[in-house]
Amino acid sequence: MYKLYYWPEIQGRGEFVRLALEAAGAKYQDVARRAKGMDALIAGLKSDAPMPPYAPPYLQDGELVIAQTAAILAHLGPKLGLAPKDDAGRLHALQLQLTIADLVDEAHNTHHPVGSALYYEEQKKEAKRYTKNFRKLRIPKYLGYFERVLAANPQGPEHLVGDALSYADLSLFQVVEGLKYAFPKAAARELDTLPLVTALHQAVGRLPRIKAYMKSKRRIAFNEQGIFRRYPELDG
Amino acid sequence: MYKLYYWPEIQGRGEFVRLALEAAGAKYQDVARRAKGMDALIAGLKSDAPMPPYAPPYLQDGELVIAQTAAILAHLGPKLGLAPKDDAGRLHALQLQLTIADLVDEAHNTHHPVGSALYYEEQKKEAKRYTKNFRKLRIPKYLGYFERVLAANPQGPEHLVGDALSYADLSLFQVVEGLKYAFPKAAARELDTLPLVTALHQAVGRLPRIKAYMKSKRRIAFNEQGIFRRYPELDG
């Protein structure tokens, strides 16, 4: 039984871990969504035990506590059958996840360019400037890159790495979901030009376990506390 | 012979890789600093080969090309004797590197909060707002976290993870160097309260290979094109 510790009201970075656990049909507790779970999450952050997490998400797997989304997935991927079996493939899955994480950071900065300690309303003007650049340059550059990776995969364009579903595919699915939610116009315009990314997004959404998860209460809806936020003034 | 591809005029994210290679006395080429090296770097980014890098740094090790600083170090660490031998220790080294990478991203945003496509001069006002928060909240939170990690290491407070030098120690050294360069007042004030981080920084700086590297021409000086920039108006 895995225990995932993450903020209970948002998808956020924890969602990349949730999707891997769900896609594999793994047993897990989403601790902070249970009774007294937030106390447990905070206690873990303040722990004096060796190697505390800096921030959620963190995962407990038996004795091991591991933080940072990409490190959690580097650990879970092989155990859940969601990573390539060869060393190079595993490194490349990590490389892809880190590039997705960079995109996620920038998506967060669209509404919080000046600092996460301030409200969106205090940095709306800066958010507009940042997001204009994000829509025009960054979304095309990142999604175009993943299209290239798919096209260049010697095992076929159905997966980012190797010949089977990996956590990198799930994470790209999540990012596309997020961009479609936050920037429906910009995302649609871009995805129209990217058949392989679009096909991967659709294929992951059709996986029976992912389909069931998306309809369940375990999937928290996108909202304006998370990373991907729908502020119509930022789309275009 | 390793081949590192990174921008030739800055320390940037490539420096974390350079430090690991230097600390281990590994043979490597810093490709873009050699004749026609920039052409080779750009060709690698535009390559149609499987799994192209999204951005520098990337490393070539025989047939393997791997991008993303933390993934490069996850690969090099065990090969160079700069990572713990056990799986949990290796995951924790990766976790630490990713937390350092988050700090590095925020250090970059101090001078580019609105977007990396704009000049600093076009976002000076926003940079001041961002950096005030970075100095007052973020530097203390990050460096205080590493102090806690050192204090909680069951193998002793000389290293972040395990009982020997790892790439995470080298990367913390580099971040402290960067903060001292960019924010001399804020960094000194903070480090005064952090004896373990300070001791680790000094110990790494005294390692013979690191000492020799820092004096060599291979070490590019900090400058105002890199991640850590000294803009006196942002310190305080």
Side-chain angles (χ1 to χ4, degrees):
Chain A
M1 168 75 79
Y2 298 103
K3 290 188 179 182
L4 171 66
Y5 293 78
Y6 193 65
W7 308 120
E9 285 156 5
I10 60 170
Q11 293 183 19
R13 290 177 177 82
E15 195 65 15
F16 298 99
V17 182
R18 292 190 186 109
L19 280 171
L21 292 163
E22 292 282 347
K27 287 208 170 173
Y28 74 102
Q29 285 182 2
D30 201 341
V31 176
R33 299 184 70 189
R34 300 161 66 97
K36 303 208 174 168
M38 270 303 288
D39 296 345
L41 181 149
I42 299 295
L45 293 178
K46 295 191 171 169
S47 164
D48 287 331
M51 202 59 67
Y54 177 76
Y58 61 94
L59 182 88
Q60 191 177 348
D61 177 7
E63 293 292 299
L64 178 73
V65 177
I66 179 81
Q68 284 282 357
T69 311
I72 296 170
L73 291 170
H75 171 65
L76 281 180
K79 292 188 72 171
L80 300 179
L82 289 171
K85 290 201 169 54
D86 59 309
D87 286 345
R90 288 188 183 180
L91 280 168
H92 285 142
L94 176 60
Q95 168 184 326
L96 291 164
Q97 185 64 38
L98 292 171
T99 305
I100 288 167
D102 287 342
L103 169 52
V104 168
D105 282 350
E106 295 187 28
H108 172 268
N109 293 346
T110 60
H111 47 80
H112 276 78
V114 183
S116 39
L118 302 171
Y119 291 107
Y120 168 60
E121 286 68 25
E122 298 177 84
Q123 48 192 308
K124 239 171 144 168
K125 214 178 70 184
E126 294 87 351
K128 275 194 188 173
R129 282 179 78 192
Y130 186 102
T131 307
K132 193 176 164 190
N133 184 60
F134 180 75
R135 285 197 323 262
K136 295 207 170 175
L137 300 176
R138 306 304 287 171
I139 294 180
K141 188 170 175 194
Y142 277 110
L143 293 187
Y145 168 73
F146 294 115
E147 185 83 6
R148 278 177 64 209
V149 169
L150 288 165
N153 185 351
Q155 319 268 10
E158 292 81 15
H159 300 291
L160 284 167
V161 56
D163 63 357
L165 184 73
S166 75
Y167 66 79
D169 294 331
L170 297 168
S171 296
L172 183 59
F173 164 81
Q174 172 65 9
V175 159
V176 171
E177 285 288 301
L179 292 173
K180 282 165 70 102
Y181 174 78
F183 310 102
K185 291 180 200 165
R189 195 169 51 236
E190 205 51 40
L191 288 166
D192 266 355
T193 70
L194 303 171
L196 301 176
V197 170
T198 300
L200 174 59
H201 173 256
Q202 289 169 350
V204 170
R206 278 193 303 263
L207 294 170
R209 285 182 181 136
I210 295 296
K211 209 168 165 178
Y213 169 60
M214 299 290 279
K215 287 185 192 162
S216 76
K217 286 189 182 160
R218 300 191 302 286
R219 172 82 168 184
I220 300 163
F222 282 112
N223 61 51
E224 280 55 61
Q225 281 78 53
I227 290 170
F228 292 103
R229 304 189 185 183
R230 181 172 287 176
Y231 294 133
E233 64 272 22
L234 297 183
D235 194 17
Chain B
M1 168 75 80
Y2 298 104
K3 290 187 180 184
L4 171 66
Y5 294 78
Y6 193 65
W7 308 119
E9 284 155 5
I10 60 170
Q11 291 183 21
R13 290 176 176 82
E15 195 65 16
F16 298 99
V17 183
R18 291 190 187 111
L19 280 171
L21 292 164
E22 292 282 347
K27 285 207 170 175
Y28 73 102
Q29 285 183 0
D30 201 341
V31 175
R33 299 184 72 191
R34 301 160 65 98
K36 303 206 175 170
M38 270 303 289
D39 295 345
L41 181 149
I42 299 295
L45 293 176
K46 295 191 171 169
S47 164
D48 286 332
M51 202 58 67
Y54 177 75
Y58 60 95
L59 182 88
Q60 191 177 349
D61 177 7
E63 293 293 297
L64 179 71
V65 176
I66 180 78
Q68 284 283 358
T69 310
I72 296 169
L73 291 171
H75 171 65
L76 281 180
K79 293 187 71 170
L80 300 179
L82 289 172
K85 291 201 169 55
D86 60 308
D87 286 345
R90 288 187 183 180
L91 281 168
H92 284 143
L94 176 60
Q95 169 184 325
L96 291 164
Q97 185 65 37
L98 291 170
T99 305
I100 289 167
D102 287 344
L103 169 52
V104 168
D105 282 351
E106 295 187 28
H108 172 267
N109 293 347
T110 59
H111 47 80
H112 276 78
V114 183
S116 39
L118 302 171
Y119 290 108
Y120 169 60
E121 286 67 26
E122 297 177 83
Q123 47 192 309
K124 237 171 146 169
K125 215 178 69 185
E126 294 86 351
K128 274 193 189 177
R129 282 179 78 192
Y130 186 102
T131 306
K132 194 177 164 189
N133 184 59
F134 180 74
R135 284 197 324 261
K136 295 208 170 175
L137 300 176
R138 306 305 285 171
I139 293 180
K141 189 171 175 195
Y142 277 110
L143 292 187
Y145 168 74
F146 293 116
E147 185 82 7
R148 277 177 64 209
V149 170
L150 288 166
N153 185 349
Q155 319 267 11
E158 291 80 16
H159 299 291
L160 283 167
V161 55
D163 62 357
L165 184 75
S166 76
Y167 66 79
D169 294 331
L170 296 168
S171 295
L172 183 57
F173 164 81
Q174 171 65 9
V175 159
V176 171
E177 285 286 301
L179 292 174
K180 282 165 70 101
Y181 174 79
F183 310 102
K185 291 180 199 164
R189 196 169 52 236
E190 205 50 40
L191 288 167
D192 266 354
T193 70
L194 303 171
L196 300 177
V197 170
T198 301
L200 174 59
H201 173 256
Q202 288 169 351
V204 171
R206 278 194 302 263
L207 294 170
R209 283 181 183 138
I210 296 296
K211 209 168 165 178
Y213 169 60
M214 298 291 278
K215 287 185 192 162
S216 76
K217 286 189 182 162
R218 300 191 302 285
R219 172 82 168 185
I220 300 163
F222 283 112
N223 61 52
E224 280 54 63
Q225 281 79 53
I227 290 171
F228 292 103
R229 304 188 186 184
R230 181 172 287 176
Y231 294 133
E233 63 273 23
L234 297 183
D235 194 17

